[in-house]
PDB file of all heavy atoms in Angstrom:
ATOM      1  N   CYS A 221       0.850  -1.188   0.000  1.00 94.00           N
ATOM      2  CA  CYS A 221       0.000   0.000   0.000  1.00 94.00           C
ATOM      3  C   CYS A 221       0.890   1.243   0.000  1.00 94.00           C
ATOM      4  O   CYS A 221       1.655   1.462   0.947  1.00 94.00           O
ATOM      5  CB  CYS A 221      -0.915  -0.004   1.220  1.00 94.00           C
ATOM      6  SG  CYS A 221      -2.287   1.140   1.113  1.00 94.00           S
ATOM      7  N   PRO A 222       0.813   2.094  -1.039  1.00 93.00           N
ATOM      8  CA  PRO A 222       1.753   3.210  -1.162  1.00 93.00           C
ATOM      9  C   PRO A 222       1.341   4.477  -0.424  1.00 93.00           C
ATOM     10  O   PRO A 222       2.106   5.441  -0.383  1.00 93.00           O
ATOM     11  CB  PRO A 222       1.781   3.469  -2.670  1.00 93.00           C
ATOM     12  CG  PRO A 222       0.410   3.090  -3.119  1.00 93.00           C
ATOM     13  CD  PRO A 222      -0.019   1.943  -2.249  1.00 93.00           C
ATOM     14  N   GLY A 223       0.143   4.493   0.151  1.00 94.00           N
ATOM     15  CA  GLY A 223      -0.300   5.703   0.825  1.00 94.00           C
ATOM     16  C   GLY A 223      -1.540   5.446   1.653  1.00 94.00           C
ATOM     17  O   GLY A 223      -2.140   4.362   1.591  1.00 94.00           O
ATOM     18  N   PRO A 224      -1.975   6.426   2.455  1.00 93.00           N
ATOM     19  CA  PRO A 224      -3.131   6.239   3.327  1.00 93.00           C
ATOM     20  C   PRO A 224      -4.449   6.289   2.558  1.00 93.00           C
ATOM     21  O   PRO A 224      -4.514   6.785   1.437  1.00 93.00           O
ATOM     22  CB  PRO A 224      -3.025   7.421   4.301  1.00 93.00           C
ATOM     23  CG  PRO A 224      -2.311   8.479   3.527  1.00 93.00           C
ATOM     24  CD  PRO A 224      -1.354   7.745   2.630  1.00 93.00           C
ATOM     25  N   ARG A 225      -5.488   5.755   3.177  1.00 94.00           N
ATOM     26  CA  ARG A 225      -6.858   5.770   2.643  1.00 94.00           C
ATOM     27  C   ARG A 225      -6.945   5.116   1.267  1.00 94.00           C
ATOM     28  O   ARG A 225      -7.647   5.588   0.373  1.00 94.00           O
ATOM     29  CB  ARG A 225      -7.401   7.206   2.587  1.00 94.00           C
ATOM     30  CG  ARG A 225      -7.456   7.905   3.937  1.00 94.00           C
ATOM     31  CD  ARG A 225      -8.136   9.273   3.831  1.00 94.00           C
ATOM     32  NE  ARG A 225      -8.122   9.946   5.116  1.00 94.00           N
ATOM     33  CZ  ARG A 225      -7.199  10.816   5.511  1.00 94.00           C
ATOM     34  NH1 ARG A 225      -6.184  11.108   4.697  1.00 94.00           N
ATOM     35  NH2 ARG A 225      -7.255  11.399   6.690  1.00 94.00           N
ATOM     36  N   ARG A 226      -6.239   4.018   1.124  1.00 96.00           N
ATOM     37  CA  ARG A 226      -6.299   3.271  -0.141  1.00 96.00           C
ATOM     38  C   ARG A 226      -6.645   1.801   0.079  1.00 96.00           C
ATOM     39  O   ARG A 226      -6.912   1.081  -0.881  1.00 96.00           O
ATOM     40  CB  ARG A 226      -4.966   3.406  -0.896  1.00 96.00           C
ATOM     41  CG  ARG A 226      -4.682   4.858  -1.247  1.00 96.00           C
ATOM     42  CD  ARG A 226      -3.346   5.081  -1.864  1.00 96.00           C
ATOM     43  NE  ARG A 226      -2.931   6.473  -1.693  1.00 96.00           N
ATOM     44  CZ  ARG A 226      -1.856   7.001  -2.230  1.00 96.00           C
ATOM     45  NH1 ARG A 226      -1.074   6.265  -2.994  1.00 96.00           N
ATOM     46  NH2 ARG A 226      -1.547   8.253  -2.009  1.00 96.00           N
ATOM     47  N   TRP A 227      -6.615   1.359   1.329  1.00 97.00           N
ATOM     48  CA  TRP A 227      -6.997  -0.013   1.675  1.00 97.00           C
ATOM     49  C   TRP A 227      -8.046   0.093   2.776  1.00 97.00           C
ATOM     50  O   TRP A 227      -7.774   0.597   3.863  1.00 97.00           O
ATOM     51  CB  TRP A 227      -5.778  -0.796   2.161  1.00 97.00           C
ATOM     52  CG  TRP A 227      -6.079  -2.182   2.634  1.00 97.00           C
ATOM     53  CD1 TRP A 227      -6.335  -2.579   3.918  1.00 97.00           C
ATOM     54  CD2 TRP A 227      -6.147  -3.389   1.845  1.00 97.00           C
ATOM     55  NE1 TRP A 227      -6.562  -3.926   3.974  1.00 97.00           N
ATOM     56  CE2 TRP A 227      -6.445  -4.451   2.716  1.00 97.00           C
ATOM     57  CE3 TRP A 227      -5.970  -3.650   0.488  1.00 97.00           C
ATOM     58  CZ2 TRP A 227      -6.574  -5.755   2.274  1.00 97.00           C
ATOM     59  CZ3 TRP A 227      -6.100  -4.950   0.047  1.00 97.00           C
ATOM     60  CH2 TRP A 227      -6.395  -5.996   0.927  1.00 97.00           C
ATOM     61  N   PHE A 228      -9.258  -0.348   2.474  1.00 96.00           N
ATOM     62  CA  PHE A 228     -10.376  -0.201   3.407  1.00 96.00           C
ATOM     63  C   PHE A 228     -10.869  -1.584   3.823  1.00 96.00           C
ATOM     64  O   PHE A 228     -11.367  -2.346   2.990  1.00 96.00           O
ATOM     65  CB  PHE A 228     -11.509   0.595   2.752  1.00 96.00           C
ATOM     66  CG  PHE A 228     -11.109   1.994   2.354  1.00 96.00           C
ATOM     67  CD1 PHE A 228     -10.504   2.228   1.119  1.00 96.00           C
ATOM     68  CD2 PHE A 228     -11.332   3.061   3.200  1.00 96.00           C
ATOM     69  CE1 PHE A 228     -10.130   3.507   0.736  1.00 96.00           C
ATOM     70  CE2 PHE A 228     -10.963   4.350   2.826  1.00 96.00           C
ATOM     71  CZ  PHE A 228     -10.362   4.576   1.598  1.00 96.00           C
ATOM     72  N   PHE A 229     -10.719  -1.885   5.099  1.00 95.00           N
ATOM     73  CA  PHE A 229     -11.077  -3.198   5.640  1.00 95.00           C
ATOM     74  C   PHE A 229     -11.952  -2.990   6.868  1.00 95.00           C
ATOM     75  O   PHE A 229     -11.640  -2.152   7.714  1.00 95.00           O
ATOM     76  CB  PHE A 229      -9.799  -3.969   6.011  1.00 95.00           C
ATOM     77  CG  PHE A 229     -10.052  -5.287   6.684  1.00 95.00           C
ATOM     78  CD1 PHE A 229     -10.390  -6.405   5.928  1.00 95.00           C
ATOM     79  CD2 PHE A 229      -9.955  -5.419   8.065  1.00 95.00           C
ATOM     80  CE1 PHE A 229     -10.617  -7.631   6.539  1.00 95.00           C
ATOM     81  CE2 PHE A 229     -10.186  -6.638   8.678  1.00 95.00           C
ATOM     82  CZ  PHE A 229     -10.517  -7.754   7.920  1.00 95.00           C
ATOM     83  N   PRO A 230     -13.049  -3.746   7.005  1.00 92.00           N
ATOM     84  CA  PRO A 230     -13.984  -3.505   8.106  1.00 92.00           C
ATOM     85  C   PRO A 230     -13.507  -4.088   9.439  1.00 92.00           C
ATOM     86  O   PRO A 230     -14.160  -4.955  10.033  1.00 92.00           O
ATOM     87  CB  PRO A 230     -15.276  -4.177   7.624  1.00 92.00           C
ATOM     88  CG  PRO A 230     -14.796  -5.314   6.764  1.00 92.00           C
ATOM     89  CD  PRO A 230     -13.563  -4.790   6.085  1.00 92.00           C
ATOM     90  N   ALA A 231     -12.353  -3.616   9.906  1.00 84.00           N
ATOM     91  CA  ALA A 231     -11.837  -4.069  11.197  1.00 84.00           C
ATOM     92  C   ALA A 231     -12.783  -3.604  12.303  1.00 84.00           C
ATOM     93  O   ALA A 231     -13.438  -2.579  12.192  1.00 84.00           O
ATOM     94  CB  ALA A 231     -10.437  -3.510  11.444  1.00 84.00           C
ATOM     95  N   GLY A 232     -12.822  -4.357  13.388  1.00 77.00           N
ATOM     96  CA  GLY A 232     -13.684  -3.972  14.501  1.00 77.00           C
ATOM     97  C   GLY A 232     -14.908  -4.858  14.530  1.00 77.00           C
ATOM     98  O   GLY A 232     -14.864  -5.975  15.029  1.00 77.00           O
ATOM     99  N   TYR A 233     -16.016  -4.379  13.957  1.00 80.00           N
ATOM    100  CA  TYR A 233     -17.248  -5.165  13.975  1.00 80.00           C
ATOM    101  C   TYR A 233     -17.211  -6.322  12.983  1.00 80.00           C
ATOM    102  O   TYR A 233     -18.034  -7.231  13.058  1.00 80.00           O
ATOM    103  CB  TYR A 233     -18.459  -4.275  13.689  1.00 80.00           C
ATOM    104  CG  TYR A 233     -18.846  -3.379  14.843  1.00 80.00           C
ATOM    105  CD1 TYR A 233     -18.624  -2.015  14.788  1.00 80.00           C
ATOM    106  CD2 TYR A 233     -19.413  -3.917  15.999  1.00 80.00           C
ATOM    107  CE1 TYR A 233     -18.964  -1.194  15.855  1.00 80.00           C
ATOM    108  CE2 TYR A 233     -19.753  -3.106  17.063  1.00 80.00           C
ATOM    109  CZ  TYR A 233     -19.534  -1.741  16.988  1.00 80.00           C
ATOM    110  OH  TYR A 233     -19.858  -0.933  18.032  1.00 80.00           O
ATOM    111  N   GLY A 234     -16.299  -6.292  12.034  1.00 82.00           N
ATOM    112  CA  GLY A 234     -16.195  -7.390  11.079  1.00 82.00           C
ATOM    113  C   GLY A 234     -17.444  -7.513  10.221  1.00 82.00           C
ATOM    114  O   GLY A 234     -18.107  -8.543  10.198  1.00 82.00           O
ATOM    115  N   THR A 235     -17.771  -6.456   9.494  1.00 90.00           N
ATOM    116  CA  THR A 235     -19.052  -6.354   8.806  1.00 90.00           C
ATOM    117  C   THR A 235     -19.046  -7.131   7.496  1.00 90.00           C
ATOM    118  O   THR A 235     -18.490  -6.678   6.495  1.00 90.00           O
ATOM    119  CB  THR A 235     -19.359  -4.872   8.509  1.00 90.00           C
ATOM    120  OG1 THR A 235     -19.004  -4.087   9.645  1.00 90.00           O
ATOM    121  CG2 THR A 235     -20.819  -4.685   8.194  1.00 90.00           C
ATOM    122  N   LEU A 236     -19.685  -8.287   7.473  1.00 94.00           N
ATOM    123  CA  LEU A 236     -19.834  -9.036   6.222  1.00 94.00           C
ATOM    124  C   LEU A 236     -20.693  -8.242   5.248  1.00 94.00           C
ATOM    125  O   LEU A 236     -21.720  -7.674   5.624  1.00 94.00           O
ATOM    126  CB  LEU A 236     -20.486 -10.393   6.496  1.00 94.00           C
ATOM    127  CG  LEU A 236     -19.532 -11.546   6.797  1.00 94.00           C
ATOM    128  CD1 LEU A 236     -20.289 -12.708   7.405  1.00 94.00           C
ATOM    129  CD2 LEU A 236     -18.813 -11.984   5.534  1.00 94.00           C
ATOM    130  N   GLY A 237     -20.253  -8.191   3.997  1.00 96.00           N
ATOM    131  CA  GLY A 237     -20.981  -7.458   2.977  1.00 96.00           C
ATOM    132  C   GLY A 237     -20.532  -6.024   2.820  1.00 96.00           C
ATOM    133  O   GLY A 237     -21.097  -5.276   2.011  1.00 96.00           O
ATOM    134  N   PHE A 238     -19.506  -5.609   3.543  1.00 97.00           N
ATOM    135  CA  PHE A 238     -19.039  -4.224   3.517  1.00 97.00           C
ATOM    136  C   PHE A 238     -18.499  -3.808   2.150  1.00 97.00           C
ATOM    137  O   PHE A 238     -18.719  -2.689   1.688  1.00 97.00           O
ATOM    138  CB  PHE A 238     -17.950  -4.054   4.589  1.00 97.00           C
ATOM    139  CG  PHE A 238     -17.139  -2.790   4.496  1.00 97.00           C
ATOM    140  CD1 PHE A 238     -17.607  -1.607   5.033  1.00 97.00           C
ATOM    141  CD2 PHE A 238     -15.885  -2.794   3.890  1.00 97.00           C
ATOM    142  CE1 PHE A 238     -16.848  -0.438   4.964  1.00 97.00           C
ATOM    143  CE2 PHE A 238     -15.119  -1.639   3.817  1.00 97.00           C
ATOM    144  CZ  PHE A 238     -15.611  -0.456   4.357  1.00 97.00           C
ATOM    145  N   ALA A 239     -17.770  -4.700   1.483  1.00 97.00           N
ATOM    146  CA  ALA A 239     -16.933  -4.295   0.349  1.00 97.00           C
ATOM    147  C   ALA A 239     -17.724  -3.679  -0.788  1.00 97.00           C
ATOM    148  O   ALA A 239     -17.343  -2.629  -1.324  1.00 97.00           O
ATOM    149  CB  ALA A 239     -16.126  -5.488  -0.164  1.00 97.00           C
ATOM    150  N   LEU A 240     -18.833  -4.306  -1.211  1.00 97.00           N
ATOM    151  CA  LEU A 240     -19.538  -3.818  -2.396  1.00 97.00           C
ATOM    152  C   LEU A 240     -20.144  -2.429  -2.175  1.00 97.00           C
ATOM    153  O   LEU A 240     -19.847  -1.503  -2.947  1.00 97.00           O
ATOM    154  CB  LEU A 240     -20.601  -4.821  -2.837  1.00 97.00           C
ATOM    155  CG  LEU A 240     -21.469  -4.362  -4.006  1.00 97.00           C
ATOM    156  CD1 LEU A 240     -20.640  -4.087  -5.252  1.00 97.00           C
ATOM    157  CD2 LEU A 240     -22.556  -5.385  -4.314  1.00 97.00           C
ATOM    158  N   PRO A 241     -20.995  -2.201  -1.175  1.00 97.00           N
ATOM    159  CA  PRO A 241     -21.538  -0.855  -0.998  1.00 97.00           C
ATOM    160  C   PRO A 241     -20.466   0.177  -0.667  1.00 97.00           C
ATOM    161  O   PRO A 241     -20.581   1.341  -1.074  1.00 97.00           O
ATOM    162  CB  PRO A 241     -22.549  -1.007   0.147  1.00 97.00           C
ATOM    163  CG  PRO A 241     -22.183  -2.269   0.831  1.00 97.00           C
ATOM    164  CD  PRO A 241     -21.582  -3.144  -0.202  1.00 97.00           C
ATOM    165  N   ALA A 242     -19.424  -0.234   0.046  1.00 97.00           N
ATOM    166  CA  ALA A 242     -18.343   0.705   0.358  1.00 97.00           C
ATOM    167  C   ALA A 242     -17.607   1.111  -0.905  1.00 97.00           C
ATOM    168  O   ALA A 242     -17.236   2.283  -1.081  1.00 97.00           O
ATOM    169  CB  ALA A 242     -17.377   0.080   1.362  1.00 97.00           C
ATOM    170  N   ALA A 243     -17.400   0.165  -1.818  1.00 97.00           N
ATOM    171  CA  ALA A 243     -16.724   0.485  -3.073  1.00 97.00           C
ATOM    172  C   ALA A 243     -17.572   1.420  -3.929  1.00 97.00           C
ATOM    173  O   ALA A 243     -17.057   2.334  -4.574  1.00 97.00           O
ATOM    174  CB  ALA A 243     -16.418  -0.798  -3.841  1.00 97.00           C
ATOM    175  N   ILE A 244     -18.896   1.198  -3.933  1.00 97.00           N
ATOM    176  CA  ILE A 244     -19.785   2.105  -4.664  1.00 97.00           C
ATOM    177  C   ILE A 244     -19.676   3.510  -4.076  1.00 97.00           C
ATOM    178  O   ILE A 244     -19.558   4.509  -4.799  1.00 97.00           O
ATOM    179  CB  ILE A 244     -21.243   1.592  -4.608  1.00 97.00           C
ATOM    180  CG1 ILE A 244     -21.367   0.279  -5.380  1.00 97.00           C
ATOM    181  CG2 ILE A 244     -22.207   2.638  -5.174  1.00 97.00           C
ATOM    182  CD1 ILE A 244     -22.703  -0.428  -5.196  1.00 97.00           C
ATOM    183  N   GLY A 245     -19.699   3.597  -2.746  1.00 97.00           N
ATOM    184  CA  GLY A 245     -19.546   4.897  -2.093  1.00 97.00           C
ATOM    185  C   GLY A 245     -18.196   5.521  -2.368  1.00 97.00           C
ATOM    186  O   GLY A 245     -18.088   6.738  -2.576  1.00 97.00           O
ATOM    187  N   GLY A 246     -17.155   4.686  -2.393  1.00 97.00           N
ATOM    188  CA  GLY A 246     -15.818   5.190  -2.684  1.00 97.00           C
ATOM    189  C   GLY A 246     -15.726   5.776  -4.087  1.00 97.00           C
ATOM    190  O   GLY A 246     -15.088   6.809  -4.305  1.00 97.00           O
ATOM    191  N   LYS A 247     -16.385   5.120  -5.048  1.00 97.00           N
ATOM    192  CA  LYS A 247     -16.346   5.620  -6.424  1.00 97.00           C
ATOM    193  C   LYS A 247     -17.126   6.923  -6.547  1.00 97.00           C
ATOM    194  O   LYS A 247     -16.730   7.832  -7.288  1.00 97.00           O
ATOM    195  CB  LYS A 247     -16.918   4.566  -7.378  1.00 97.00           C
ATOM    196  CG  LYS A 247     -16.735   4.915  -8.841  1.00 97.00           C
ATOM    197  CD  LYS A 247     -15.246   4.960  -9.218  1.00 97.00           C
ATOM    198  CE  LYS A 247     -15.050   5.254 -10.683  1.00 97.00           C
ATOM    199  NZ  LYS A 247     -13.610   5.349 -11.032  1.00 97.00           N
ATOM    200  N   LEU A 248     -18.234   7.044  -5.807  1.00 97.00           N
ATOM    201  CA  LEU A 248     -18.991   8.297  -5.810  1.00 97.00           C
ATOM    202  C   LEU A 248     -18.167   9.429  -5.195  1.00 97.00           C
ATOM    203  O   LEU A 248     -18.214  10.571  -5.651  1.00 97.00           O
ATOM    204  CB  LEU A 248     -20.300   8.123  -5.031  1.00 97.00           C
ATOM    205  CG  LEU A 248     -21.366   7.251  -5.705  1.00 97.00           C
ATOM    206  CD1 LEU A 248     -22.504   6.970  -4.730  1.00 97.00           C
ATOM    207  CD2 LEU A 248     -21.895   7.917  -6.966  1.00 97.00           C
ATOM    208  N   ALA A 249     -17.402   9.097  -4.140  1.00 97.00           N
ATOM    209  CA  ALA A 249     -16.599  10.114  -3.460  1.00 97.00           C
ATOM    210  C   ALA A 249     -15.356  10.497  -4.253  1.00 97.00           C
ATOM    211  O   ALA A 249     -14.893  11.641  -4.177  1.00 97.00           O
ATOM    212  CB  ALA A 249     -16.197   9.608  -2.072  1.00 97.00           C
ATOM    213  N   ALA A 250     -14.806   9.533  -4.995  1.00 97.00           N
ATOM    214  CA  ALA A 250     -13.573   9.788  -5.748  1.00 97.00           C
ATOM    215  C   ALA A 250     -13.734   9.239  -7.165  1.00 97.00           C
ATOM    216  O   ALA A 250     -13.127   8.228  -7.529  1.00 97.00           O
ATOM    217  CB  ALA A 250     -12.386   9.126  -5.049  1.00 97.00           C
ATOM    218  N   PRO A 251     -14.558   9.878  -7.982  1.00 97.00           N
ATOM    219  CA  PRO A 251     -14.870   9.322  -9.302  1.00 97.00           C
ATOM    220  C   PRO A 251     -13.683   9.241 -10.245  1.00 97.00           C
ATOM    221  O   PRO A 251     -13.719   8.490 -11.226  1.00 97.00           O
ATOM    222  CB  PRO A 251     -15.932  10.306  -9.847  1.00 97.00           C
ATOM    223  CG  PRO A 251     -15.729  11.565  -9.075  1.00 97.00           C
ATOM    224  CD  PRO A 251     -15.262  11.137  -7.715  1.00 97.00           C
ATOM    225  N   ASP A 252     -12.612   9.981  -9.936  1.00 97.00           N
ATOM    226  CA  ASP A 252     -11.442   9.981 -10.814  1.00 97.00           C
ATOM    227  C   ASP A 252     -10.468   8.866 -10.482  1.00 97.00           C
ATOM    228  O   ASP A 252      -9.458   8.705 -11.183  1.00 97.00           O
ATOM    229  CB  ASP A 252     -10.727  11.325 -10.716  1.00 97.00           C
ATOM    230  CG  ASP A 252     -10.302  11.661  -9.296  1.00 97.00           C
ATOM    231  OD1 ASP A 252     -11.052  11.305  -8.353  1.00 97.00           O
ATOM    232  OD2 ASP A 252      -9.228  12.265  -9.106  1.00 97.00           O
ATOM    233  N   LYS A 253     -10.741   8.091  -9.425  1.00 97.00           N
ATOM    234  CA  LYS A 253      -9.804   7.047  -9.007  1.00 97.00           C
ATOM    235  C   LYS A 253     -10.362   5.656  -9.305  1.00 97.00           C
ATOM    236  O   LYS A 253     -11.555   5.400  -9.111  1.00 97.00           O
ATOM    237  CB  LYS A 253      -9.509   7.170  -7.506  1.00 97.00           C
ATOM    238  CG  LYS A 253      -8.790   8.471  -7.130  1.00 97.00           C
ATOM    239  CD  LYS A 253      -8.502   8.528  -5.642  1.00 97.00           C
ATOM    240  CE  LYS A 253      -7.766   9.815  -5.293  1.00 97.00           C
ATOM    241  NZ  LYS A 253      -7.494   9.918  -3.831  1.00 97.00           N
ATOM    242  N   PRO A 254      -9.496   4.725  -9.739  1.00 98.00           N
ATOM    243  CA  PRO A 254      -9.941   3.338  -9.910  1.00 98.00           C
ATOM    244  C   PRO A 254     -10.316   2.734  -8.565  1.00 98.00           C
ATOM    245  O   PRO A 254      -9.637   2.981  -7.553  1.00 98.00           O
ATOM    246  CB  PRO A 254      -8.718   2.637 -10.510  1.00 98.00           C
ATOM    247  CG  PRO A 254      -7.824   3.726 -10.995  1.00 98.00           C
ATOM    248  CD  PRO A 254      -8.090   4.907 -10.124  1.00 98.00           C
ATOM    249  N   VAL A 255     -11.392   1.963  -8.535  1.00 98.00           N
ATOM    250  CA  VAL A 255     -11.894   1.373  -7.298  1.00 98.00           C
ATOM    251  C   VAL A 255     -12.089  -0.125  -7.491  1.00 98.00           C
ATOM    252  O   VAL A 255     -12.626  -0.566  -8.511  1.00 98.00           O
ATOM    253  CB  VAL A 255     -13.223   2.034  -6.868  1.00 98.00           C
ATOM    254  CG1 VAL A 255     -13.836   1.303  -5.681  1.00 98.00           C
ATOM    255  CG2 VAL A 255     -13.002   3.501  -6.517  1.00 98.00           C
ATOM    256  N   VAL A 256     -11.657  -0.902  -6.504  1.00 98.00           N
ATOM    257  CA  VAL A 256     -11.784  -2.357  -6.539  1.00 98.00           C
ATOM    258  C   VAL A 256     -12.558  -2.814  -5.309  1.00 98.00           C
ATOM    259  O   VAL A 256     -12.326  -2.316  -4.200  1.00 98.00           O
ATOM    260  CB  VAL A 256     -10.395  -3.020  -6.549  1.00 98.00           C
ATOM    261  CG1 VAL A 256     -10.519  -4.531  -6.368  1.00 98.00           C
ATOM    262  CG2 VAL A 256      -9.650  -2.699  -7.832  1.00 98.00           C
ATOM    263  N   ALA A 257     -13.492  -3.751  -5.496  1.00 97.00           N
ATOM    264  CA  ALA A 257     -14.140  -4.437  -4.371  1.00 97.00           C
ATOM    265  C   ALA A 257     -13.580  -5.853  -4.304  1.00 97.00           C
ATOM    266  O   ALA A 257     -13.654  -6.600  -5.277  1.00 97.00           O
ATOM    267  CB  ALA A 257     -15.651  -4.475  -4.551  1.00 97.00           C
ATOM    268  N   LEU A 258     -13.004  -6.204  -3.171  1.00 97.00           N
ATOM    269  CA  LEU A 258     -12.430  -7.531  -2.969  1.00 97.00           C
ATOM    270  C   LEU A 258     -13.311  -8.250  -1.956  1.00 97.00           C
ATOM    271  O   LEU A 258     -13.290  -7.941  -0.761  1.00 97.00           O
ATOM    272  CB  LEU A 258     -10.995  -7.387  -2.438  1.00 97.00           C
ATOM    273  CG  LEU A 258     -10.124  -8.632  -2.375  1.00 97.00           C
ATOM    274  CD1 LEU A 258      -9.934  -9.246  -3.754  1.00 97.00           C
ATOM    275  CD2 LEU A 258      -8.774  -8.298  -1.762  1.00 97.00           C
ATOM    276  N   VAL A 259     -14.103  -9.208  -2.432  1.00 96.00           N
ATOM    277  CA  VAL A 259     -15.151  -9.789  -1.592  1.00 96.00           C
ATOM    278  C   VAL A 259     -15.300 -11.274  -1.891  1.00 96.00           C
ATOM    279  O   VAL A 259     -15.122 -11.715  -3.022  1.00 96.00           O
ATOM    280  CB  VAL A 259     -16.492  -9.040  -1.829  1.00 96.00           C
ATOM    281  CG1 VAL A 259     -16.915  -9.119  -3.279  1.00 96.00           C
ATOM    282  CG2 VAL A 259     -17.590  -9.537  -0.905  1.00 96.00           C
ATOM    283  N   GLY A 260     -15.602 -12.038  -0.858  1.00 94.00           N
ATOM    284  CA  GLY A 260     -15.876 -13.456  -1.034  1.00 94.00           C
ATOM    285  C   GLY A 260     -17.329 -13.692  -1.399  1.00 94.00           C
ATOM    286  O   GLY A 260     -18.166 -12.779  -1.352  1.00 94.00           O
ATOM    287  N   ASP A 261     -17.664 -14.935  -1.761  1.00 93.00           N
ATOM    288  CA  ASP A 261     -19.036 -15.201  -2.192  1.00 93.00           C
ATOM    289  C   ASP A 261     -20.042 -14.995  -1.064  1.00 93.00           C
ATOM    290  O   ASP A 261     -21.145 -14.483  -1.278  1.00 93.00           O
ATOM    291  CB  ASP A 261     -19.158 -16.615  -2.781  1.00 93.00           C
ATOM    292  CG  ASP A 261     -18.606 -17.699  -1.863  1.00 93.00           C
ATOM    293  OD1 ASP A 261     -18.039 -17.365  -0.806  1.00 93.00           O
ATOM    294  OD2 ASP A 261     -18.739 -18.885  -2.209  1.00 93.00           O
TER     295      ASP A 261
END
């Protein structure tokens, strides 16, 4: 990871299902940046 606020992991409550809606929100917040959702089935 080359800088801050580039790896988002739901530490703490361990929220299953976080990645997809968070990635959508991330793309809305930073539309000029590539966004990846890394999620299991």
Side-chain angles (χ1 to χ4, degrees):
C221 196
R225 300 186 183 94
R226 298 174 202 186
W227 176 266
F228 299 86
F229 175 80
Y233 286 108
T235 318
L236 270 165
F238 167 83
L240 176 60
I244 293 170
K247 188 64 178 178
L248 289 170
D252 58 325
K253 296 181 179 179
V255 173
V256 171
L258 190 60
V259 59
D261 52 355

